[in-house]
Amino acid sequence: MKIKLPIFIVFTLLILLNFSCKSDKNKSSITTNEKVKPNILFILADDFGYKDTSVMGSEYYETPNIDKIANQGMNFTNGYANCQVCSPSRASILTGKNTARHGITDWIGAAVGEKWRNKKRYNKLLPADYNHQLNLSYTTLPEALKTQGYKTFFTGKWHLGGEGSSPEDHGFDINKGGWESGSPKGGYFSPWINPTLPNTKKGENLSMRLADETINFMKQNKDTTFFAFLSFYAVHGPIQTTQEKWQKYQQKAQELGVAEQGFKMGHFLPIKQQQDNPIYAGLVETMDDAIGKVMNSLKEMGLDDNTIVVFTSDNGGVSSGDSFSTSNLPLRGGKGYQFEGGIREPYFIKVPGLANGQINTTPVTGSDFYPTLLELVGADLLPEEHQDGVSLVPILKGETIAKRPLIWHYPHYGNQGGEPSSIIREGKWKLIHYYEDGHKELYDLENDIEEANNIAENNPDTVKYLDEKLFNYLNEVGARFPVKDDEYNAELEKKYLESVIKNQWPNLEKQRLKFLSDDFKPNDTWWDSKTTVD
């Protein structure tokens, strides 16, 4: 027997059922929106200079994919690494602490104390000791993100310790290629030497491999929330590229015009003044190609609208020492130096819906990434951890942050020619304290980005104010300092510098022209890769 309900009851039930369905749908949507946090893709280049991108003014290098990150996000034109060499800066990104506080003040493996004499540089000071691995007691950025439900991934250069201080020991669930070495052992074409990144096919390009590892991780975790840290070995020496890219940039250098002289003498070593190295340019473009591949993959997976992308470098471009690869002009110096060329970097943050295509001149550093990313994903800040970093979210929202000093501490001699020094920047003023003789240099960076005019003598009050603030901080955090070398011999140092001018400088000029010659042939350990980017 069929049961017949009055018509008004039927209509009432239909209305209630429709409302219930809408309510459940809205509830599901709200719950989803509350649950979803943005993914994070952090891209860190090695030894990549302030002017090594097209967007920052290079007419020689071509970096359309890196440029796109800058143009779609916020470009911090006063963005800094926390040190002029790699390991200290990398530690600061992961901890939110300045180098003097976390104690890694030189690249891990650098000689200290009396061992520095073995370098036969005959300097006045013995470099200070430093911590040789990242402190396990710190809560690192990936560890903080794991508490928010993030799956964490690292690929590429680590250089923050070996066994017992690997990426896995500091919060990364997966590690592909990170170990104690700071350079690409074996070069940029497989077979390379890396215990955590097995060789799979001969001639494979290292930068593209790291991109592929990142893409594989993102695909496997696209339905979760992830933090992917893509840490290129590029563009660290030994610099290598394919024959096709070398030829492209060899011709481009000729078209732009090859300068008669490519270097000028610095305090200890010649410093490159031209962007005209076709091998380095090819290495840069390949890294950019790899970044483009990762960014395209994000878009194909539909994740680009919910992924924060950061791009920066760990120190300035190598204008001296190492491979003498690039010029950072108009910035003075490069990697290892206390000048702007050693510490000012490309510094781009792309956040969907925020600060698209904007430029900001606020001075910021690598230690600011930690609190910035925490706030962007809705996590509580950890001020007891990121003690020297501040969140840049107000800036990304069009507001400002409080004025503060930025501090660097490098009580070492750089392989590239830098000097033991400490730096403080506040507003437009930059003060450099030199440990060899205690003298100080003061620069007005708003009007003298080249650091050509030391105005310390004319501004004694500013010098005193900044110097006191600098050393109050260094003493507070227990910074270590270089000491006088009792065996210093001024005559031996003079002979060393004369040899650099007489022999090394001319040889560098010859090498520069050789790289640009039509009959250039590289070392047998590379150039055998004809692989094109797919």
Side-chain angles (χ1 to χ4, degrees):
M1 183 180 72
K2 294 182 180 180
I3 299 175
K4 292 184 179 181
L5 295 173
I7 191 72
F8 78 91
I9 295 177
V10 173
F11 275 109
T12 301
L13 290 172
L14 287 173
I15 291 170
L16 289 171
L17 180 62
N18 185 50
F19 177 81
S20 175
C21 290
K22 285 183 177 181
S23 178
D24 286 344
K25 188 181 291 184
N26 289 338
K27 183 178 180 182
S28 174
S29 176
I30 291 170
T31 302
T32 301
N33 288 337
E34 287 179 347
K35 181 180 179 182
V36 171
K37 293 178 181 287
N39 301 307
I40 302 171
L41 172 62
F42 196 111
I43 306 172
L44 180 62
D46 190 21
D47 294 354
F48 193 67
Y50 179 80
K51 201 182 173 183
D52 281 354
T53 60
S54 312
V55 74
M56 295 305 292
S58 176
E59 297 180 356
Y60 188 49
Y61 311 131
E62 298 178 16
T63 56
N65 297 299
I66 298 173
D67 297 347
K68 190 178 292 185
I69 297 172
N71 292 330
Q72 293 179 348
M74 179 168 280
N75 180 350
F76 290 85
T77 56
N78 279 281
Y80 290 94
N82 286 84
C83 188
Q84 48 267 61
V85 294
C86 57
S87 299
S89 295
R90 292 165 179 270
S92 291
I93 289 171
L94 293 178
T95 66
K97 296 173 171 62
N98 286 339
T99 62
R101 190 187 296 274
H102 62 61
I104 302 175
T105 53
D106 206 352
W107 60 274
I108 294 175
V112 299
E114 295 181 358
K115 291 182 179 179
W116 179 252
R117 293 177 187 145
N118 297 333
K119 295 285 185 180
K120 298 190 182 301
R121 290 266 299 271
Y122 310 108
N123 300 126
K124 295 178 181 178
L125 302 176
L126 297 175
D129 200 0
Y130 58 89
N131 292 343
H132 290 247
Q133 68 175 37
L134 190 60
N135 194 319
L136 291 168
S137 69
Y138 297 152
T139 299
T140 63
L141 174 59
E143 288 172 331
L145 290 171
K146 280 171 69 71
T147 68
Q148 302 299 307
Y150 279 77
K151 185 76 173 179
T152 58
F153 168 84
F154 183 91
T155 187
K157 175 172 174 173
W158 176 245
H159 206 186
L160 288 171
E163 185 176 352
S165 185
S166 66
E168 298 95 324
D169 296 310
H170 293 283
F172 289 103
D173 297 318
I174 301 170
N175 169 35
K176 300 286 186 178
W179 64 307
E180 63 185 12
S181 177
S183 63
K185 299 291 185 182
Y188 284 95
F189 298 101
S190 181
W192 47 67
I193 302 168
N194 189 318
T196 62
L197 194 71
N199 291 281
T200 56
K201 57 182 178 179
K202 185 178 180 182
E204 183 178 22
N205 181 271
L206 179 58
S207 296
M208 298 306 297
R209 172 64 176 278
L210 298 181
D212 289 340
E213 294 287 355
T214 304
I215 292 168
N216 290 338
F217 166 78
M218 295 192 302
K219 285 181 177 178
Q220 293 168 8
N221 294 276
K222 62 185 177 65
D223 296 325
T224 64
T225 308
F226 61 75
F227 171 50
F229 199 115
L230 172 53
S231 178
F232 285 103
Y233 282 95
V235 288
H236 194 289
I239 58 172
Q240 298 173 345
T241 190
T242 62
Q243 187 171 5
E244 292 84 359
K245 289 194 186 298
W246 166 81
Q247 188 172 26
K248 170 184 175 178
Y249 286 101
Q250 185 251 10
Q251 293 174 355
K252 187 172 184 178
Q254 300 288 351
E255 292 168 2
L256 291 173
V258 179
E260 291 186 12
Q261 184 170 310
F263 295 84
K264 77 172 185 179
M265 189 63 192
H267 185 78
F268 292 121
L269 289 171
I271 302 175
K272 192 168 174 59
Q273 303 295 293
Q274 308 293 332
Q275 290 189 343
D276 60 6
N277 187 321
I279 306 171
Y280 182 77
L283 180 59
V284 168
E285 185 179 355
T286 298
M287 180 179 71
D288 186 79
D289 291 339
I291 290 171
K293 190 174 184 181
V294 174
M295 296 299 290
N296 288 337
S297 181
L298 266 179
K299 189 170 185 179
E300 290 168 1
M301 288 185 281
L303 300 176
D304 55 324
D305 287 338
N306 193 42
T307 301
I308 299 163
V309 181
V310 171
F311 177 83
T312 193
S313 177
D314 59 357
N315 50 249
V318 182
S319 61
S320 184
D322 299 349
S323 298
F324 292 87
S325 305
T326 191
S327 169
N328 300 292
L329 294 176
L331 302 187
R332 185 176 174 183
K335 176 183 179 180
Y337 282 85
Q338 61 275 13
F339 303 115
E340 292 293 282
I343 54 177
R344 199 185 291 205
E345 309 301 328
Y347 194 114
F348 313 141
I349 303 178
K350 176 179 175 288
V351 183
L354 284 181
N356 295 337
Q358 294 186 26
I359 293 175
N360 190 278
T361 60
T362 306
V364 297
T365 71
S367 57
D368 296 328
F369 288 121
Y370 190 150
T372 300
L373 293 172
L374 286 188
E375 184 168 353
L376 284 171
V377 304
D380 291 335
L381 298 188
L382 303 173
E384 70 282 3
E385 291 293 340
H386 47 78
Q387 293 165 283
D388 298 303
V390 302
S391 174
L392 306 180
V393 171
I395 298 176
L396 293 169
K397 290 181 176 180
E399 302 166 6
T400 60
I401 59 173
K403 183 179 177 181
R404 57 173 173 151
L406 303 182
I407 289 173
W408 295 262
H409 182 58
Y410 189 65
H412 312 280
Y413 289 99
N415 289 343
Q416 303 77 21
E419 301 168 63
S421 56
S422 292
I423 307 165
I424 182 170
R425 176 176 179 179
E426 187 170 281
K428 69 177 184 177
W429 299 112
K430 176 181 177 181
L431 180 78
I432 307 174
H433 173 90
Y434 290 86
Y435 289 106
E436 278 198 344
D437 58 10
H439 87 275
K440 306 174 199 309
E441 294 174 353
L442 180 69
Y443 297 101
D444 175 356
L445 294 180
E446 286 184 3
N447 298 298
D448 181 22
I449 194 173
E450 299 91 352
E451 295 172 283
N453 302 301
N454 174 17
I455 54 176
E457 188 174 336
N458 298 327
N459 296 272
D461 292 340
T462 301
V463 170
K464 181 181 178 182
Y465 165 77
L466 291 174
D467 190 59
E468 288 180 354
K469 184 169 285 193
L470 170 62
F471 279 92
N472 284 342
Y473 174 85
L474 294 177
N475 290 326
E476 176 189 334
V477 299
R480 287 172 277 195
F481 302 96
V483 297
K484 178 182 177 182
D485 186 354
D486 293 331
E487 295 185 15
Y488 170 69
N489 186 313
E491 187 61 29
L492 288 176
E493 183 178 36
K494 180 182 177 182
K495 288 181 179 179
Y496 163 76
L497 294 175
E498 288 174 348
S499 174
V500 169
I501 295 171
K502 182 180 178 180
N503 300 312
Q504 187 174 16
W505 187 356
N507 288 337
L508 286 168
E509 296 286 4
K510 291 177 184 177
Q511 182 189 62
R512 167 177 164 264
L513 297 178
K514 178 182 177 182
F515 289 159
L516 290 164
S517 66
D518 292 336
D519 60 353
F520 170 66
K521 298 293 181 184
N523 187 300
D524 289 340
T525 60
W526 58 288
W527 201 279
D528 59 350
S529 173
K530 301 292 182 181
T531 304
T532 56
V533 177
D534 57 19

